[in-house]
Amino acid sequence: MVKKASLLFVVFIALALMIGACQPAPEPAPEEPVVEDPIVEEPVAEEPCTVKVGIPAMLTGVGAPMGADIRAGAEFAASHINAEGGVLGCEIELVFADVKGESAEDCALAAEVMDREDVAVFIPGAYFGTTCIEEFGRRDPVLMHGSASADMVSVVLDNLPESKNVFMMCDDEFSYGPNTFSVLVDVISGQLGYEFPNNKVALLGGDITYDMYIQQGGREAFEAAGWEVVLDDVYAYGNTEFGPQLARIRAEEPAVILGQITSTDSSVAFMNQFLTNPTNSLIYIQWSPASPEFISLLGENANGVMWSSLYDILPENKDFFYPKFEAEFGRLPGTWPPNMWDYMHIWVAAAESCGDFTDHDCIVDYYDNLDNHPYEGLCGTYGMDAERKMGRSGDEWIPIQFIQIQDQSNVTLFLGTELQEGTQFEVPPWFD
């Protein structure tokens, strides 16, 4: 029995082993997928993009009053352009350099500052001579200025193609004299009925070509109409003593005094000395009343003075520009802030058209062809006479504005020779 039981046990174990051997092997449990830790890239901070705009201007010396307005205009325009996204996404950074008296050394030192800062454009406002024009005309970035000088045009044309980057954004000064004659004689007297006491004119101006060219044009216009020139004087620029000239004026009592007195110090001194014993003369003073200092220094003594500008803000744009400027600077602008606004926006348009503010050849070409894409600015419509590298003027472009100071404010009476609605010529308060 024991052997039989043992035998059965052995058989049972064998059968169990055989049955187990016939079953498929269980599949291995699936392995858990290996998940690698994600690589988190740190955000790379973008480098701030800036473009440097050079203002090599007369910040001290005889041009300081104008320089202060140029600086303010550049700062005002740059802040607004930056607030709107800058130039091709880059923020404007202004670089100033003082050309002082515009000697060769002054201009060269200012140019070194511009080179070191790698500026993309030069916007100096205006110069009194050609030295800085020649210096910056040897560089690649565009230089755009509003000097209104035939000499500036000549020096650029004489140095082409080297100076192809220099553009004067307005007409030259020869247009001032004939326009002043037309306004005074043909319009104020002929159309508005003002009666001249005589046909005498006194002319005086500084010994710089800008003053002398305007004086020449005025003299020719008055003489052609039969007027007697009782004074035709050229004095050292910056002179502030006008005793000899005023002695002649008081002796002759001319109906018109045409003063090409473009230094603010000189023009303020002339008016103060004239008003100690005035004559019944209409007074026109060239350009210096464009500086806010002219009215602030003279106060009520400025009332009645007439002047003109080849470029100033158009009357219809003052409501846009003046409140913004006054809120920022606490004063009204002279003529330069709206001009600097226009100049900087024209360059922005050129850079964005070219897609690169360092593509100077493309930007020069944009200016040469400005007639094909004129810029509608605060001062009018900007075009370009590419052959002379000089801006367009005229009623459809940049009109000459003829201005009279009334209640210590500049009032644009005429665009060209067209009387502006809502304005009226006033006989000066010094008339007896």
Side-chain angles (χ1 to χ4, degrees):
M1 289 293 293
V2 173
K3 288 184 179 179
K4 184 176 181 180
S6 298
L7 181 61
L8 287 173
F9 178 76
V10 171
V11 171
F12 175 79
I13 294 300
L15 287 172
L17 290 173
M18 290 175 63
I19 291 170
C22 292
Q23 298 297 318
E27 294 184 4
E31 296 183 2
E32 292 291 329
V34 177
V35 179
E36 296 182 0
D37 291 335
I39 299 175
V40 179
E41 296 185 1
E42 293 293 329
V44 178
E46 292 185 7
E47 289 290 328
C49 174
T50 60
V51 53
K52 295 183 178 182
V53 170
I55 315 292
M58 293 181 289
L59 302 177
T60 61
V62 294
M66 184 172 71
D69 231 23
I70 288 169
R71 175 190 283 273
E75 292 171 347
F76 186 67
S79 67
H80 282 262
I81 292 170
N82 287 339
E84 294 173 357
V87 186
L88 298 173
C90 296
E91 185 173 275
I92 288 176
E93 177 184 334
L94 298 176
V95 178
F96 291 94
D98 187 6
V99 300
K100 301 177 183 176
E102 293 184 67
S103 68
E105 182 181 9
D106 291 335
C107 295
L109 290 173
E112 287 180 14
V113 173
M114 301 291 112
D115 292 344
R116 188 164 58 249
E117 296 291 336
D118 194 23
V119 303
V121 62
F122 308 119
I123 310 179
Y127 292 129
F128 287 167
T130 62
T131 306
C132 286
I133 295 291
E134 294 176 272
E135 181 68 47
F136 288 100
R138 293 194 284 267
R139 286 160 170 78
D140 291 329
V142 158
L143 182 143
M144 52 192 306
H145 68 95
S147 303
S149 166
D151 286 352
M152 306 292 187
V153 173
S154 295
V155 75
V156 168
L157 299 183
D158 289 345
N159 288 287
L160 289 175
E162 183 181 55
S163 59
K164 67 179 182 178
N165 64 311
V166 179
F167 295 89
M168 190 168 80
M169 303 305 293
C170 58
D171 202 349
D172 64 37
E173 70 270 66
F174 279 103
S175 57
Y176 276 121
N179 187 79
T180 300
F181 171 83
S182 295
V183 169
L184 293 178
V185 178
D186 296 338
V187 183
I188 290 178
S189 177
Q191 297 179 27
L192 302 183
Y194 171 79
E195 293 186 10
F196 289 113
N198 54 56
N199 280 5
K200 296 179 181 180
V201 59
L203 302 105
L204 67 157
D207 58 358
I208 59 173
T209 56
Y210 178 84
D211 290 6
M212 291 189 290
Y213 289 163
I214 298 172
Q215 189 160 324
Q216 174 188 334
R219 180 177 62 249
E220 292 173 353
F222 277 94
E223 286 181 333
W227 282 57
E228 179 187 0
V229 177
V230 297
L231 174 70
D232 189 6
D233 185 68
V234 175
Y235 59 82
Y237 190 85
N239 170 63
T240 56
E241 176 50 57
F242 293 95
Q245 295 90 346
L246 287 170
R248 184 65 180 273
I249 287 170
R250 287 167 181 143
E252 295 288 348
E253 297 187 348
V256 174
I257 298 172
L258 203 65
Q260 284 56 247
I261 312 176
T262 50
S263 161
T264 303
D265 290 343
S266 297
S267 59
V268 168
F270 175 83
M271 283 305 303
N272 281 329
Q273 292 165 36
F274 169 81
L275 289 172
T276 61
N277 185 16
T279 57
N280 288 347
S281 309
L282 298 182
I283 294 182
Y284 171 92
I285 293 181
Q286 182 63 42
W287 183 243
S288 55
S291 167
E293 286 198 353
F294 183 84
I295 294 176
S296 66
L297 290 172
L298 281 172
E300 291 184 355
N301 284 351
N303 291 334
V305 171
M306 293 175 287
W307 63 285
S308 60
S309 176
L310 279 169
Y311 38 86
D312 195 2
I313 188 168
L314 294 175
E316 61 263 30
N317 292 327
K318 290 182 178 180
D319 287 345
F320 156 75
F321 189 78
Y322 276 19
K324 297 182 188 314
F325 186 90
E326 189 172 18
E328 188 162 331
F329 292 93
R331 65 172 176 86
L332 291 175
T335 62
W336 276 110
N339 277 277
M340 295 299 286
W341 175 283
D342 284 353
Y343 292 176
M344 292 186 71
H345 280 82
I346 293 170
W347 175 74
V348 168
E352 292 182 343
S353 174
C354 293
D356 182 352
F357 47 70
T358 65
D359 190 345
H360 301 302
D361 287 338
C362 177
I363 292 174
V364 165
D365 185 67
Y366 183 95
Y367 278 80
D368 276 330
N369 291 283
L370 196 57
D371 279 6
N372 298 330
H373 37 252
Y375 177 76
E376 301 285 342
L378 296 177
C379 301
T381 302
Y382 291 80
M384 183 61 61
D385 178 348
E387 291 186 1
R388 299 190 66 201
K389 298 281 189 174
M390 185 176 81
R392 302 286 187 188
S393 68
D395 292 345
E396 72 277 22
W397 296 101
I398 306 290
I400 294 180
Q401 296 198 37
F402 194 91
I403 299 158
Q404 185 178 40
I405 299 173
Q406 300 176 357
D407 295 326
Q408 299 181 55
S409 296
N410 289 309
V411 177
T412 299
L413 299 180
F414 303 93
L415 292 180
T417 57
E418 182 180 346
L419 181 66
Q420 295 302 285
E421 185 177 353
T423 68
Q424 182 176 331
F425 164 74
E426 294 183 357
V427 175
W430 58 79
F431 277 45
D432 56 27

